[in-house]
Amino acid sequence: MRKPCEYVTAAMAKLRGSSLSGCSEVLRHGERAAKVTRVGQSQRGGDEVTEAEVSENCRVLAYVADFPKLKNGEAVELGNTLRVVTSCTTGPVNALLTVGLSAAFEKCPATYSGKRRENGTPRQFKHPIDVLALESASVPSDYGDAAAPTYVQSWIVCISADGWPEVSAPQVSDALEFADPHNSFAAVRLRVSDVKRHEGYWIITARPRGGA
């Protein structure tokens, strides 16, 4: 008689070999890569990244053994697109992961600038850099009237760790500017509000300058 986890593995193999095999794509996380199966649009529930960070766009099924370190907020590649994990739930027999993913990031040539203090001496820098950007949820502006708050569009920006030109890490209050992916005649000017290091990427939350 099969163990419960063996039934799950057999069902997954059958799913990949069925008419839904066209829904299979390669997922990459750090140095690990394996085929996963798309299972439709997102459904709320489970352990999710908050709405203020990034919205879920689709979900895939993956083996826990293929991605043992996968968790919320990690940058992954699905096919040839970069996405962020928005939810990651283990099945009842700890064999499969249901992984929620953001929409694909847009490639944007950008300018990144900031200030650092080295050996007691202040220094300013400004670098051209390629980033991957994704519009996120609207968040209350710090300058809105409390009785009638205004909202600004926040962004999630990924920068390749290998392509980062500074010795020190990206920091809160650094500035970032790039052409709007949806309107080439407009510029997006952002101020970094949060920085996290993940497998191969810096993941930055940023708001329009004048926010936080």
Side-chain angles (χ1 to χ4, degrees), residues 10 31 33 38 51 53 73 78 99 155-156 167 180:
E31 297 181 352
R38 282 181 179 260
E51 190 67 25
E53 292 182 1
L78 181 66
V99 184
W155 290 75
I156 303 294
V167 174
D180 190 326

Side-chain angles (χ1 to χ4, degrees), residues 119-141:
N119 299 321
T121 303
R123 176 179 65 88
Q124 293 185 332
F125 66 85
K126 189 174 185 178
H127 298 296
I129 189 171
D130 289 329
V131 304
L132 293 150
L134 177 66
E135 285 183 292
S136 188
S138 295
V139 294
S141 169

